[in-house]
């Protein structure tokens, strides 16, 4: 027997959420179709809603997400609410929904408001002369500092997971997405902070800028110390990532 489990934000129409899930495969505008997950946009009364369908897990994870750990959809919903309570930007969470059987998790969905954005952090990495590049980067690093001060360790802190909205000339707001991997601390030590920022860019000159902007807020270490540790963890991540790619290529070759 298939069981439906869900949490719906107060004020959100339950029937509307059920209809989204029921019609996910046959309606909606495809926004992102990756190997792991699929995102579609739906419209209701002038509001755009973002529905993320998570890939059905393998047999082991089906059991894990059914009995031992919250599903990615549920974690996304709970973490989004926690971020909003902390005053940290993320698209407004509306609901999560999952189907399970005795044998484990089947399909699962995270539903949020769809946010119209101007860019993601990825554009800052790929387009060095992007308008107001330094201004955006500075404000982003101050945002990261506040994130760390509030004890938020965003484990998927990669270029595509920060949405950026221009709210006025020279003023930007930042929103985190892809929220299912997160930890919350009462205090984040220096090394943890630097490691948390290591996935954002491979460019040394950009890392140096980021470190300098972070140092404007974090006064416990010098700018030189911050830049050195941030670059150390960035290189460490890039080397590990390169090794992972080589291993995958070798496996494909021998297949």
């Amino acid at each position: 027997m298939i069981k439906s489990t869900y949490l719906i934000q107060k004020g959100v129409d339950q029937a509307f959420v059920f209809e989204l899930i029921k019609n996910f495969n046959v309606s909606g505008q495809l926004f992102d179709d990756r190997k792991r997950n699929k995102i579609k946009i739906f419209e209701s009364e002038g509001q755009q809603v973002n529905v993320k369908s998570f890939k059905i897990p393998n047999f082991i994870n089906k059991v894990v997400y059914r009995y031992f750990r919250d599903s990615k959809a549920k974690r996304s919903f709970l973490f989004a609410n926690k971020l909003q309570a902390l005053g940290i930007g993320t698209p407004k969470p509306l609901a999560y929904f999952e189907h399970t059987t005795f044998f484990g998790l089947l399909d699962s969905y995270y539903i949020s408001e769809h946010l119209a954005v101007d860019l993601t952090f990825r554009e800052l990495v790929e387009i060095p002369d992007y308008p107001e590049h330094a201004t955006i980067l500075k404000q982003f690093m101050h945002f990261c500092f506040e994130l760390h001060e509030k004890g938020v360790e965003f484990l998927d802190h990669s270029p595509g997971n920060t949405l950026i909205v221009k709210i006025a000339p020279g003023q930007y707001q930042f929103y985190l997405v892809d929220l299912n991997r997160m930890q919350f601390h009462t205090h984040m030590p220096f090394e943890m902070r630097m490691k948390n920022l290591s996935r954002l860019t491979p460019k040394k000159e950009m890392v140096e800028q980021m470190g300098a902007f972070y140092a404007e807020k974090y006064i416990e270490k010098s700018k030189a110390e911050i830049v050195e540790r941030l670059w150390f963890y960035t290189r460490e991540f890039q080397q590990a990532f390169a090794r992972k790619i080589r291993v995958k290529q070798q496996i494909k070759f021998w297949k």
Side-chain angles (χ1 to χ4, degrees):
M1 179 182 294
I2 296 177
K3 177 183 177 183
S4 297
T5 304
Y6 52 87
L7 276 175
I8 300 175
Q9 208 75 275
K10 186 177 180 181
V12 176
D13 183 11
Q14 179 174 295
F16 171 62
V17 172
F18 286 2
E19 197 69 15
L20 288 178
I21 304 307
K22 178 182 176 182
N23 296 318
F24 182 83
N25 290 324
V26 296
S27 62
Q29 178 185 348
L30 187 62
F31 182 73
D32 192 357
D33 187 9
R34 303 184 187 182
K35 192 178 284 188
R36 290 183 301 171
N37 311 310
K38 180 182 289 187
I39 298 174
K40 283 189 170 183
I41 308 302
F42 295 81
E43 292 214 20
S44 174
E45 300 178 352
Q47 180 190 35
Q48 287 193 317
V49 176
N50 184 303
V51 183
K52 183 173 185 178
S53 171
F54 291 89
K55 180 183 176 182
I56 296 175
N58 60 38
F59 176 76
I60 294 174
N61 282 337
K62 280 183 179 182
V63 176
V64 169
Y65 291 144
R66 174 68 173 87
Y67 295 105
F68 303 104
R69 190 181 185 196
D70 287 339
S71 70
K72 293 180 180 181
K74 183 176 182 179
R75 277 181 277 145
S76 296
F77 179 78
L78 296 178
F79 291 163
N81 277 285
K82 192 158 187 175
L83 290 179
Q84 290 211 319
L86 290 170
I88 296 166
T90 191
K92 183 180 177 181
L94 301 178
Y96 91 88
F97 196 102
E98 59 190 31
H99 291 119
T100 59
T101 69
F102 174 80
F103 299 101
L105 176 69
L106 298 177
D107 51 325
S108 58
Y109 307 84
Y110 171 56
I111 304 164
S112 63
E113 285 189 353
H114 184 68
L115 189 65
V117 304
D118 295 289
L119 69 154
T120 68
F121 188 82
R122 190 179 304 281
E123 277 72 49
L124 296 185
V125 177
E126 296 177 350
I127 311 172
D129 58 350
Y130 192 92
E132 298 189 302
H133 189 285
T135 298
I136 302 171
L137 188 59
K138 178 177 182 176
Q139 290 178 25
F140 172 73
M141 293 311 297
H142 291 178
F143 167 77
C144 290
F145 171 79
E146 292 300 327
L147 205 64
H148 294 161
E149 285 294 288
K150 292 174 179 178
V152 179
E153 185 183 10
F154 182 31
L155 298 174
D156 274 336
H157 208 4
S158 54
N161 289 342
T162 298
L163 311 181
I164 305 174
V165 177
K166 186 173 185 176
I167 58 172
Q171 293 184 31
Y172 295 84
Q173 287 184 339
F174 305 90
Y175 299 83
L176 302 181
V177 294
D178 205 356
L179 306 179
N180 63 86
R181 295 182 63 243
M182 226 172 243
Q183 290 183 2
F184 296 87
H185 308 274
T186 55
H187 170 71
M188 282 185 68
F190 175 65
E191 298 293 330
M192 181 185 288
R193 292 172 182 236
M194 296 300 99
K195 191 170 185 178
N196 184 236
L197 299 172
S198 65
R199 301 177 63 178
L200 289 164
T201 177
K203 298 180 177 180
K204 187 174 184 180
E205 65 276 12
M206 194 169 176
V207 169
E208 290 173 347
Q209 276 187 297
M210 290 163 60
F213 290 141
Y214 196 91
E216 293 176 356
K217 293 288 187 177
Y218 191 79
I219 59 175
E220 296 178 32
K221 299 287 183 180
S222 69
K223 181 177 77 172
E225 288 175 301
I226 291 172
V227 170
E228 187 276 326
R229 295 313 286 168
L230 181 53
W231 180 237
F232 170 82
Y233 284 116
T234 298
R235 283 185 302 166
E236 186 176 70
F237 170 75
Q238 292 299 325
Q239 289 165 0
F241 183 75
R243 284 195 299 270
K244 185 177 178 180
I245 295 297
R246 287 196 299 270
V247 169
K248 284 185 176 181
Q249 289 174 339
Q250 289 170 354
I251 292 173
K252 285 181 180 180
F253 174 77
W254 288 111
K255 280 183 177 180

